[in-house]
């Protein structure tokens, strides 16, 4: 199953830190980048968490706000 084969977002309780999130859909550790994008022309999204909170990361690949879910999977 690939990163963008889901019909729901990845709900992640994140701690304050900088995180690389996959945007190519090829990662073996979804939704985090594992370097699989090499040669695709795509780069991971770098998100900076200022404080601990839960974030919704797109699981379908259709969001207009990648890497974040915008509800496209439910339409």
């Amino acid at each position: 199953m690939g990163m963008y084969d889901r019909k729901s977002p990845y709900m992640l309780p994140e701690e304050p830190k900088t995180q690389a999130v996959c945007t190519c859909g090829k990662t073996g550790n979804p939704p985090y980048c594992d370097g699989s994008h090499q040669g695709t022309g795509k780069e991971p999204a770098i998100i900076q968490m200022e404080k601990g909170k839960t974030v919704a990361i797109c699981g379908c690949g259709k969001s207009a706000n990648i890497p974040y879910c915008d509800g496209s999977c439910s339409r």
Side-chain angles (χ1 to χ4, degrees):
M1 180 176 211
M3 171 149 168
Y4 291 138
D5 293 338
R6 294 172 57 113
K7 295 183 193 265
S8 63
Y10 294 90
M11 300 301 293
L12 304 174
E14 292 289 355
E15 297 300 318
K17 64 182 172 185
T18 301
Q19 188 67 45
V21 177
C22 177
T23 61
C24 73
K26 296 179 180 251
T27 185
N29 186 29
Y32 303 108
C33 177
D34 69 358
S36 295
H37 64 275
Q38 299 297 321
T40 67
K42 295 187 178 190
E43 295 292 325
I46 307 300
I47 58 174
Q48 174 64 47
M49 303 301 293
E50 299 296 326
K51 59 182 180 176
K53 66 179 181 177
T54 298
V55 293
I57 301 297
C58 180
C60 72
K62 297 175 184 171
S63 175
N65 192 28
I66 295 284
Y68 303 104
C69 176
D70 68 0
S72 293
C73 54
S74 62
R75 292 178 247 185

